[in-house]
Amino acid sequence: MRLVDWLLDLLFPPKCPFCRRLLDSGKDLLCPKCQRDLPWAAGAQGEKPVEFLDRCAGPLWYRENVRHSHHRYKFSGLRCYARPYGLLMAQCALDRLGEDFDVVCWAPLSRKRLRKRGYDQSKLLAEVVAHRLILPADSLLEKVRDTAPQSGQTDAAARRANILGAYRLRPGKSAEGMRILLVDDVVTTGATLSECARVLRTAGAEAVSAVVLALTPEQK
């Protein structure tokens, strides 16, 4: 271990992002218990069909410690979670989606929401994913209309209506002929990812797949 890493671990003991137990090293992503017990979305269950996407996959189910951890990341300023989250997502993309991508982009926040939160949680994830996959991360999309939170919408139809027309290709950007990996934090009905993918395909993208941290289980 490098001296600087040892000092950082001493001053800021690394913690598991899901249960907040101390980790042996800052190089560890998770504690052994979470590696074993988290609600992993295994096999075909870890993929969700979403309109306009070729494939959509995530490593975890959005419940229990995953949901609590994500809330800390998204609403309590724990940006440091982006690294372990993003590395889990990158491995999921390698395992389930392959390596055939040209660029990584993300479903961005509106300017109003970005000012309020101070950071774009999906952008941070996309940058980690892109670095791990040795791909460029590019802000191909922008959100041109501030929408009500998707979590407050009652059903799939309401989510689609809420997000329709909220995104566009950023001026000066091109998606023509590109194979794009789209990043977001959580997928529920897939309305946000679907709208982003629709914009990218309309702009000429050859293929669009998505990777997320967690999938919300279907309501029965």
Side-chain angles (χ1 to χ4, degrees):
M1 178 184 290
R2 295 183 307 164
L3 177 62
V4 65
D5 293 328
W6 181 84
L7 289 172
L8 286 172
D9 285 357
L10 182 65
L11 294 171
F12 306 101
K15 295 181 180 180
C16 175
F18 296 101
C19 68
R20 294 186 278 187
R21 289 184 177 89
L22 290 177
L23 297 173
D24 292 335
S25 166
K27 294 182 180 179
D28 295 332
L29 298 183
L30 314 174
C31 72
K33 186 177 188 303
C34 284
Q35 289 180 26
R36 182 182 67 248
D37 295 340
L38 281 176
W40 298 103
Q45 290 185 334
E47 295 193 32
K48 182 180 183 67
V50 175
E51 190 177 15
F52 300 113
L53 285 175
D54 293 289
R55 298 176 75 183
C56 175
L60 293 161
W61 290 114
Y62 190 63
R63 61 180 187 234
E64 302 158 1
N65 280 353
V66 175
R67 180 166 56 85
H68 299 313
S69 174
H70 175 256
H71 279 204
R72 293 192 298 272
Y73 171 61
K74 190 171 180 178
F75 302 117
S76 297
L78 290 182
R79 307 183 197 191
C80 58
Y81 286 9
R83 178 180 175 272
Y85 286 177
L87 291 176
L88 289 175
M89 293 164 65
Q91 189 60 53
C92 176
L94 285 171
D95 292 342
R96 298 182 185 173
L97 305 177
E99 303 179 46
D100 196 23
F101 297 104
D102 299 310
V103 68
V104 176
C105 75
W106 59 93
L109 292 179
S110 67
R111 291 182 180 179
K112 179 180 179 181
R113 192 68 55 83
L114 181 59
R115 284 196 301 269
K116 182 177 180 180
R117 185 167 298 159
Y119 60 99
D120 186 327
Q121 75 277 357
S122 294
K123 178 182 179 182
L124 297 182
L125 296 175
E127 290 172 343
V128 176
V129 170
H131 185 265
R132 173 64 181 84
L133 300 182
I134 317 177
L135 290 170
D138 198 353
S139 55
L140 297 179
L141 298 169
E142 65 178 351
K143 195 170 186 182
V144 294
R145 178 168 58 83
D146 188 50
T147 58
Q150 287 289 77
S151 58
Q153 307 308 307
T154 56
D155 55 33
R159 285 173 175 259
R160 287 194 299 271
N162 184 52
I163 209 71
L164 184 64
Y167 298 95
R168 73 177 181 189
L169 196 71
R170 290 180 66 90
K173 297 291 184 178
S174 173
E176 188 69 37
M178 287 186 175
R179 298 159 299 177
I180 298 171
L181 179 60
L182 180 61
V183 167
D184 204 2
D185 48 1
V186 177
V187 61
T188 303
T189 64
T192 298
L193 287 172
S194 177
E195 180 64 9
C196 289
R198 184 190 67 79
V199 171
L200 292 169
R201 287 190 178 279
T202 300
E206 178 182 319
V208 185
S209 290
V211 65
V212 299
L213 172 68
L215 306 97
T216 301
E218 296 289 344
Q219 299 296 319
K220 297 182 179 180

